[in-house]
Amino acid sequence: MIFRGQTVRASADVQIELEDGSYFALSKGAAVTYSDCLKEDEEAPPLGSKHRVALLLGKIWVKIAKPLVIEIQTERTGIAPRGTVFSVEYDPKTQTTVVEVEKGLVEVRNLLGTLQTLVVEAGQMAIQTGHQPPRLKK
């Protein structure tokens, strides 16, 4: 079980499965912090509860099995999936976030500068760097 505020650093590729069949897979070297998960004395939240994962470094793949409110954030980008399979990669040195959608839709928005939200569809890739708004990667 992973608790609120806990930071996980993957020393190898690792998969974290949720009760509903959704999962996160972290690449070796990735680091994430869970900011809205279970407290030690809490039971599993009902489906639709909000979870937030901060990707500090590396790559995360996410598969959402059922409707679930979740947000993935990097230092500069917020990613809100809409029933989907997608990956997010973040490089803090270049301040670059890359989002690739395999299935469904993902909303990508920059958190600094002039805010803009981009809807990324299956088969598309978005990139967001520094204070710039996200854009589709060709």
Side-chain angles (χ1 to χ4, degrees):
M1 184 175 288
I2 298 171
F3 298 102
R4 183 178 289 128
Q6 183 176 356
T7 297
V8 175
R9 297 184 195 286
S11 58
D13 291 350
V14 64
Q15 183 170 311
I16 302 166
E17 190 165 341
L18 303 177
E19 283 184 16
D20 71 349
S22 298
Y23 71 84
F24 304 101
L26 303 175
S27 65
K28 180 180 179 179
V32 295
T33 298
Y34 293 84
S35 58
D36 291 311
C37 287
L38 299 178
K39 290 183 182 175
E40 242 178 271
D41 59 347
E42 288 179 324
E43 291 185 26
L47 200 58
S49 293
K50 185 142 186 159
H51 298 273
R52 181 169 293 145
V53 178
L55 178 62
L56 307 173
L57 171 70
K59 189 169 188 174
I60 184 172
W61 290 267
V62 181
K63 177 186 175 213
I64 305 298
K66 298 179 182 177
L68 179 70
V69 179
I70 189 166
E71 184 174 301
I72 308 292
Q73 283 190 348
T74 67
E75 182 181 20
R76 301 182 177 276
T77 310
I79 299 98
R82 302 291 178 245
T84 188
V85 177
F86 68 102
S87 67
V88 179
E89 186 168 5
Y90 181 63
D91 182 345
K93 290 180 184 175
T94 62
Q95 300 177 343
T96 300
T97 302
V98 177
V99 178
E100 187 172 1
V101 180
E102 183 179 318
K103 179 180 175 185
L105 300 172
V106 173
E107 291 181 3
V108 178
R109 71 179 175 283
N110 54 311
L111 301 176
L112 302 170
T114 303
L115 299 182
Q116 182 178 338
T117 300
L118 177 68
V119 176
V120 185
E121 299 177 356
Q124 294 181 321
M125 187 181 295
I127 188 168
Q128 191 278 323
T129 302
H131 287 65
Q132 300 298 313
R135 61 182 168 76
L136 290 178
K137 186 175 179 182
K138 308 218 184 229

